[in-house]
Amino acid sequence: MSEARVAEVLLDQNLEKPLDYEIPETFRASIQVGSRVEVYVRNSLRKGTIATLKKASQFAKLRPLHRLITQTTLSDPLWQLAHWMSRYYCTSLQRTMKCFTPPNVRREIKPKTRLTVKLATTRELALELCKKLQSKQSAQASVLEKILNAEKPPFLSALLEELEISRSPIDSLVKKKALQLEEIVDDALEDADFFPSPPKTLNAEQATCLKDIGESLQSGTFKTHLLFGVTGSGKTEVYLQAIQQVLDLGKSALLLVPEIALTSQTIERFRARFGIKLAVLHHRKSLGERSAAWESLKKGETKIAIGARSAIFCPAQDLGLIIIDEEHDSSYKQNEEMPTYHARDIAVMRGKLEKAVVLLGSATPSLDSYHNAINGKYRLNILTSRATKASQPTMRIIDMKSALDKAGGFSHFSPDLLDAIKEKTKKGEQTLLLLNKRGYRRMQICSECRYIAKCPHCDLSLTYHKGPNTLRCHLCDYQTHLLRQCPSCQSSSQMEFRGFGTEHVEKSLCAIFPDVRTLRMDRDTTQKKNSHEEMFKQFRAHKADVLIGTQMIAKGFHFPSVTLVGILNADAALQIPDFRSSESLFQLIAQASGRAGRSELKGEVILQTFLPQHPLLHLAATQDYQAFHTREIDERRLFSFPPFCRLAKVVFSGPDENETLEAITQFRTALVSAALPNTEILPALPAGHPKIKDRYRFQFLTKTGNIMPLSDCLTTLRSRAPTSRKIHILIDIDPTSTFF
Ligand code: ADP
Ligand code: ZN
Ligand code: ZN
């Protein structure tokens, strides 16, 4: 290292290629690959990361590095991971580095710290002093007493509040050298109260799974396990005890949960077991808090990290275990921007590089992971029954056509569902109602000429929201007033509404049962920070009988008094032409029904559909994953879709329709000419949303048996693509959606 005179610096912004800088004498001993530095580019200072160290440069005159910010940002395995990601996801290393150096690192945000109060002397001397102070300086005495009795040094702020004193008695005790103040990093650990929860005695199935996972942990080698356990089977308890084993080995653990499940309820379950040795990585935290969590993981002071997708890049030291809870969840995939990584796949790669165990958990594993498990690539660990007395809910499929025929008109609710809601509410139990569309009415249409009110910027009909009384675009948030008259044929009083959303469901239910208290949870009602957390708390505290919402209410929550789940339009998902739509629907139904009857109360699920004979609904209703898997995997094999091939989706978007189509056609032709073996290139077509925010979107799909050569080829073609700056190219490797 001492021979290195030149550093290649990857700037945080603009230039994708690294620049050469001379390493000043003073930095030479400490600088390394991954160091954060500041350099001059022309006349301005820019930050970046050192990508390579070398003896000499091809350029004669180099400018020196200006400042060394931190010695290391990335461990060796993380650095290798970045290189792999960059290649696999066709994204420059500079852009990929954004994942590894989040804003708290880039902007050098100081960790948030707090003061704690601790003894500066022995217990004996402190006790003696305490006695002496009792009569004259009672405030000081009570401070000492508190600290002597505390299990761990309290926060200064908490102590002042609890004793209702000013700071002066504490300052006096510090002067007397009885106490000292210590600044500790506040690594995003809310000091919420929690009840300690000791490990549970595992049932036989859990014990077998843990033993198997434990053997992998002990061996200290890379291994991926798939923990396939029905909802409520006690997967979390297995995670908790596996984490304990990792801590006992002196290593650290990283747990990923879906974005929406990163609530205080989830965090408290882990904190109750492990106390405060837990870093929570969350976009709702301030940058100072995130910096604190990041630093403490990097120093190895905190050994457990919990977070959503992007936490997979956190600098946990000496990683022994990575857990991906609900591994099938689509929020682990970054779709909108490159690198279009999947946190589960990154986890497996990171585990390989760090020789760590990767534990994927789900009640409805993705077909890809399950396929890997039955083919021996992953270890399969199974939990077949619920861990508590709770039994699996019963499930009923209701044919909505005949229900509505009988009722003689439209309703969201079949008579069966209404009866069930009434009965549950009477008993003081709770209901979840799921509809995958927010708003009041789905669209406004002219009955005369079929004109549909659409967003002027997107190719999408506008949804009517009754609360604010506006038409809204769900792609770009464009808003406008309701149409009184058809802009196309000018006929007035002919504008009708079609389709329904959650807002309408809530209103209808309140009209039928004025006494039933409802809460509605969708993107409209959870805009504000923490609002979704607040709503969950309210519902758990039984401030409402029925929670109505989009799929966000179906995931991973534990509401002990929910005994009924109604899925209002179960077949909506099947209308999306995507090879994954059956899989998503199966998962949605199984997850939603997992919310019913989590305690000793018996649960029930009512599935309303216009396709009552659809085999998928029956498989979902009986929760027969194996049968579902057999059926679906055959179809995937037949039509050659993952896991039998790999996919890449190329999306072009631009303000001019023809120009964009032209550009993607050229790109596609070049890819065809590259003649990659074992690769099929499908035609370029308008995307499922053909226009968003005034940009036209075209895409094509590529299937291949060998992804890396395809990635390399796409990267090369993209760098050569002679497109105008206005056209944006997105390369999505392993896309989760092939339609939109
Ligand atoms: P999952 O994560 O598989 O959905 P959970 O871990 O939430 O399941 O467990 C469901 C319930 O069962 C929880 O209330 C949990 O405390 C309880 N539980 C789990 N394992 C045990 C056990 N071995 N003994 C008793 N209760 C258990
Ligand atoms: Zn009209
Ligand atoms: Zn729009």
Side-chain angles (χ1 to χ4, degrees), residues 455 457-458 473 475-478:
C455 175
H457 308 290
C458 309
C473 172
L475 288 174
C476 74
D477 277 335
Y478 167 84

Side-chain angles (χ1 to χ4, degrees), residues 387-531:
T388 55
K389 284 194 285 297
S391 52
Q392 287 292 342
T394 54
M395 185 119 37
R396 270 193 281 165
I397 297 176
I398 306 289
D399 177 1
M400 276 311 268
K401 188 170 179 310
S402 74
L404 296 187
D405 284 349
K406 260 184 239 157
F410 179 81
S411 164
H412 292 293
F413 318 101
S414 59
D416 294 67
L417 182 57
L418 284 180
D419 287 345
I421 294 173
K422 198 158 122 194
E423 182 204 321
K424 300 294 179 191
T425 309
K426 214 192 271 166
K427 282 203 270 181
E429 295 168 13
Q430 292 176 297
T431 300
L432 297 184
L433 290 181
L434 230 90
L435 181 72
N436 230 351
K437 179 81 184 176
R438 63 198 167 93
Y440 194 72
R441 300 300 303 262
R442 199 171 283 243
M443 62 176 79
Q444 217 185 355
I445 182 170
C446 171
S447 59
E448 198 72 25
C449 73
R450 318 313 286 164
Y451 169 91
I452 293 173
K454 275 191 174 183
C455 175
H457 308 290
C458 309
D459 194 354
L460 189 73
S461 59
L462 295 165
T463 305
Y464 174 44
H465 289 250
K466 195 174 177 76
N469 198 29
T470 52
L471 291 176
R472 268 197 201 161
C473 172
H474 284 186
L475 288 174
C476 74
D477 277 335
Y478 167 84
Q479 299 190 23
T480 184
H481 50 81
L482 275 175
L483 296 179
R484 307 252 163 261
Q485 189 181 21
C486 174
S488 176
C489 71
Q490 317 305 329
S491 93
S492 51
S493 75
Q494 301 293 335
M495 293 306 289
E496 294 178 348
F497 291 107
R498 288 285 155 83
F500 299 96
T502 46
E503 212 184 343
H504 195 272
V505 170
E506 183 177 34
K507 206 154 166 88
S508 315
L509 189 69
C510 294
I512 300 169
F513 298 133
D515 295 336
V516 170
R517 297 162 306 158
T518 57
L519 256 181
R520 178 167 56 90
M521 191 159 159
D522 51 33
R523 215 153 15 109
D524 297 320
T525 63
T526 54
Q527 291 271 309
K528 271 192 253 124
K529 193 176 158 178
N530 288 333
S531 52

Side-chain angles (χ1 to χ4, degrees), residues 702-720:
T702 302
K703 295 177 172 181
T704 183
N706 207 351
I707 191 82
M708 254 332 174
L710 176 62
S711 285
D712 288 345
C713 184
L714 289 172
T715 302
T716 312
L717 292 179
R718 183 169 170 245
S719 66
R720 284 200 210 129

Side-chain angles (χ1 to χ4, degrees), residues 608-635:
Q608 297 190 157
T609 174
F610 288 95
L611 302 168
Q613 302 310 328
H614 200 292
L616 188 74
L617 297 181
H618 290 267
L619 294 177
T622 48
Q623 301 237 23
D624 191 343
Y625 183 87
Q626 248 80 14
F628 159 73
H629 171 261
T630 310
R631 181 191 133 93
E632 188 63 22
I633 207 84
D634 281 348
E635 245 172 64

Side-chain angles (χ1 to χ4, degrees), residues 201-213 226-240 269 325 359-365 370 379-388 392 623 625-626:
T201 309
L202 298 183
N203 62 36
E205 280 190 331
Q206 285 173 315
T208 310
C209 293
L210 182 67
K211 183 162 172 286
D212 198 49
I213 295 160
L226 174 63
L227 180 58
F228 172 23
V230 297
T231 47
S233 59
K235 293 185 288 297
T236 311
E237 188 60 35
V238 176
Y239 301 158
L240 286 162
R269 265 182 99 175
D325 189 27
L359 175 55
L360 312 176
S362 177
T364 49
Y370 192 69
R379 294 274 311 169
L380 182 60
N381 302 116
I382 303 182
L383 299 172
T384 55
S385 53
R386 284 195 167 178
T388 55
Q392 287 292 342
Q623 301 237 23
Y625 183 87
Q626 248 80 14

